Amino acid sequence: MRRPSPLTDILPRLVVLVLALACTGAARAQAPESERASLRLRYGLSSRQGEQVDVGPGLTYSGLTPNDVALTLMGWAGEHLGGQVELQREAFELRDASSRVTGGSLVRGSVGPRGRLSLGPVRLELGAGYGFAQLPLFGGFTYAPVLQRGVRHAALFAGRVLVALPARLQLEARGEVPLTLSAHAADGLKASSSGYVVGAALSYPVMRRDGWTGRLLLDVQQAHDTMELEDSGLRSEQRMRRVGLGFEVALGPAPRIIECPVHGYVPIQVVDADTGAPLVGARVRVPSLLQPGMTEEKVTDAQGRVTVNLPTGEQSAQVSLEGYDSTTERTTVAFIENPGLAIRLHKNAPKTGSLKVKVVQGKNSAPVPDVQVVSGAARLRTDTAGELLLEGLEPGPVVVAMSAPGFRSTEEAAVVVAGQTSELVVVLSQDRKGELATLVGQVRSARSGKPLVATVTIPQAKVRTRTDKSGAFTARVRGGTYRITLSAAGHRTQTKTVTVREGEQAILNVDLFPRGR
């Protein structure tokens, strides 16, 4: 069973730490040396994880192996052109618990021309050439595998970047990709192969003499290789991580001193001061690192976060967002990494509110267009949907008057809330001038609840009628206020006052009390 190696976690962290030391602020840094030749020897540990799969049971292997050795020789004919030879020996052991099953060594090498270009504190190298690599293949039985060496011949494309850091440190990042020319197993079977190698190193000069420099370096590297036999279908894959110490001797002139800026990364999160919710799209304006005296602007993401790159020292960040008050926060920026900075924005205090008015008819709630709506000094008319929006209203109660041809004029009250849009639905009744009003009702006994045959008299309208067997009655009158008398045999007479409008209907239900004996 494959188990994760300690280097699996350590290696990425070391690479991140080395890259974080890149030159950034007002410190003095030495440019990468333009050496005429260099010889590097590295010794360390390798952590390997791999598997081999064929038509039978698969084999997985992993482990930590010492005696990982590399030798690199580089020479330059001028300022820009040169060549490199590299040879690496990889110790290999396959163990079952504490017992060694098989082992040996694998060799990897390359040779080819190189070109280089210096850009201030950064030097870029590109190269191509021939690469040779022995890759792990296993023969024999799965319970007693035997190490066999697959071989890959490839055209290599490689690159290296050197960055000068403060305190005479130097960062190196490199990588190479092989394009397989041919590959075969130990028994001559043809195969296909692919892979890549990436690495980084941090070096420091420990001695310097006239014309040469000795550097101590910490080196990390990761390789990924696969090999597949064309006829048998056997496939081998490995991932190898190396960590080691090395020593490099370089012949060349003394390094140049170059000023490079020192800066720090500051993670910023912008949140709502009341709810603490992250604010998306907030604009964060900070001093420009590349253009002193100028500013640059970044926008927060979905989590309200943004990371800015600022010169070290006392700096400020100005934050703005529509609907919020702008603010400026000051912080002290340290070299490389800084704790997160939380900036809280307060919402703008709203001073007015809005009122959305919708006018409909009484019968079917159909919208009424072109209704004149008056509120204070505002005079507007509803659109085809019977709607309009009153804006810029002072918070508090407001009276809205509405009028339209063919409808009765009316007034309604609403409450305006600052910063919000309130809604008011108004129902208009049609104006039916000259149309009689209708009085309908029912007369019942207050004791039994049964309908009564009663007499209904409306003196002002000269109306006298009687209820039917169900106690119901109907009367047609003009709009106005009337006194209605209701009487029935054996019951006390009652008088009611009713006000009706023209064209409307009023309902009058009355319970008459029996007369006492």
Side-chain angles (χ1 to χ4, degrees):
M1 180 177 177
R2 181 185 302 177
R3 296 181 178 178
S5 164
L7 288 180
T8 304
D9 295 328
I10 296 175
L11 181 61
R13 295 181 182 181
L14 286 175
V15 173
V16 170
L17 177 60
V18 170
L19 294 176
L21 293 175
C23 171
T24 60
R28 294 165 61 83
Q30 297 180 341
E33 300 179 20
S34 299
E35 70 274 3
R36 295 189 298 271
S38 64
L39 176 65
R40 175 184 296 183
L41 177 65
R42 187 200 69 215
Y43 177 85
L45 305 175
S46 65
S47 170
R48 191 185 308 266
Q49 292 179 320
E51 63 178 354
Q52 179 173 304
V53 181
D54 56 11
V55 294
L59 171 70
T60 62
Y61 55 91
S62 63
L64 189 67
T65 308
N67 302 322
D68 186 74
V69 181
L71 179 68
T72 304
L73 176 63
M74 187 177 296
W76 299 92
E79 182 65 26
H80 302 293
L81 296 178
Q84 175 178 303
V85 177
E86 185 173 23
L87 183 64
Q88 300 186 60
R89 173 190 175 274
E90 305 163 3
F92 184 83
E93 284 192 352
L94 177 63
R95 291 182 173 271
D96 182 7
S98 60
S99 301
R100 181 179 184 276
V101 177
T102 185
S105 63
L106 301 172
V107 177
R108 187 187 297 258
S110 64
V111 61
R114 288 238 167 180
R116 65 184 177 186
L117 178 65
S118 294
L119 302 171
V122 179
R123 191 174 79 200
L124 174 65
E125 296 180 4
L126 296 176
Y130 163 75
F132 169 85
Q134 290 180 334
L135 304 178
L137 287 176
F138 294 92
F141 298 98
T142 56
Y143 60 84
V146 177
L147 176 65
Q148 297 178 344
R149 296 173 177 83
V151 177
R152 178 178 68 201
H153 302 275
L156 287 181
F157 292 92
R160 186 171 73 147
V161 178
L162 292 94
V163 180
L165 305 179
R168 297 193 296 169
L169 292 171
Q170 182 171 283
L171 171 67
E172 170 188 316
R174 62 184 184 276
E176 66 178 39
V177 179
L179 301 180
T180 304
L181 300 176
S182 67
H184 58 82
D187 51 9
L189 294 176
K190 291 185 178 181
S192 60
S193 177
S194 62
Y196 67 85
V197 176
V198 293
L202 184 65
S203 62
Y204 180 78
V206 294
M207 59 180 63
R208 189 181 300 277
R209 298 291 184 270
D210 292 338
W212 66 275
T213 303
R215 289 181 171 272
L216 185 66
L217 57 94
L218 172 65
D219 188 274
V220 294
Q221 182 172 305
Q222 175 168 310
H224 182 198
D225 297 298
T226 61
M227 176 169 279
E228 185 170 354
L229 301 186
E230 295 180 355
D231 296 329
S232 65
L234 182 145
R235 185 177 186 275
S236 176
E237 180 178 2
Q238 71 159 349
R239 289 180 174 84
M240 182 168 55
R241 297 173 177 85
R242 302 184 175 100
V243 175
L245 293 175
F247 188 78
E248 182 179 62
V249 177
L251 302 178
R256 294 170 294 160
I257 303 298
I258 293 182
E259 297 286 342
C260 65
V262 172
H263 68 90
Y265 294 97
V266 182
I268 294 177
Q269 185 178 32
V270 183
V271 299
D272 187 292
D274 297 324
T275 65
L279 296 179
V280 184
R283 300 181 179 276
V284 181
R285 185 173 294 276
V286 296
S288 173
L289 180 68
L290 301 179
Q291 296 179 307
M294 304 294 289
T295 60
E296 61 181 58
E297 186 177 273
K298 291 192 174 184
V299 179
T300 57
D301 60 15
Q303 286 73 43
R305 300 181 185 275
V306 67
T307 299
V308 295
N309 194 4
L310 299 174
T312 55
E314 188 77 12
Q315 301 295 343
S316 62
Q318 183 179 6
V319 185
S320 61
L321 180 63
E322 185 177 356
Y324 289 81
D325 295 329
S326 300
T327 186
T328 300
E329 293 285 341
R330 301 193 66 83
T331 185
T332 301
V333 181
F335 179 50
I336 304 178
E337 296 293 340
N338 291 269
L341 177 62
I343 299 179
R344 300 179 178 274
L345 294 186
H346 294 270
K347 289 185 177 180
N348 295 336
K351 298 179 176 57
T352 61
S354 303
L355 179 64
K356 181 179 179 181
V357 180
K358 183 174 183 178
V359 183
V360 298
Q361 296 187 42
K363 285 187 177 181
N364 51 14
S365 297
V368 182
D370 201 34
V371 177
Q372 179 174 277
V373 179
V374 179
S375 178
R379 294 177 177 269
L380 300 174
R381 291 186 177 273
T382 58
D383 58 17
T384 56
E387 297 179 350
L388 60 79
L389 182 65
L390 295 170
E391 298 180 292
L393 301 178
E394 294 292 330
V398 61
V399 176
V400 182
M402 282 143 287
S403 60
F407 294 90
R408 290 193 180 96
S409 299
T410 185
E411 288 187 352
E412 296 287 346
V415 177
V416 177
V417 180
Q420 298 183 16
T421 299
S422 304
E423 294 188 0
L424 175 64
V425 178
V426 180
V427 180
L428 289 185
S429 299
Q430 291 185 344
D431 189 2
R432 298 178 178 178
K433 292 183 178 179
E435 184 177 347
L436 295 178
T438 302
L439 287 173
V440 297
Q442 185 182 35
V443 181
R444 297 177 305 181
S445 173
R447 175 175 296 177
S448 64
K450 294 181 179 181
L452 295 176
V453 176
T455 300
V456 180
T457 305
I458 309 176
Q460 298 97 317
K462 298 181 181 180
V463 172
R464 183 181 179 85
T465 185
R466 290 179 66 83
T467 63
D468 58 18
K469 292 181 180 181
S470 64
F473 69 90
T474 302
R476 304 275 287 180
V477 296
R478 295 182 179 278
T481 301
Y482 297 92
R483 290 174 60 82
I484 303 174
T485 302
L486 302 103
S487 60
H491 291 75
R492 295 177 181 175
T493 301
Q494 286 192 36
T495 301
K496 299 288 186 180
T497 301
V498 177
T499 300
V500 293
R501 292 182 179 181
E502 294 179 348
E504 290 186 347
Q505 175 178 284
I507 299 175
L508 180 65
N509 294 323
V510 178
D511 292 334
L512 297 182
F513 291 90
R515 289 176 180 163
R517 291 183 180 179

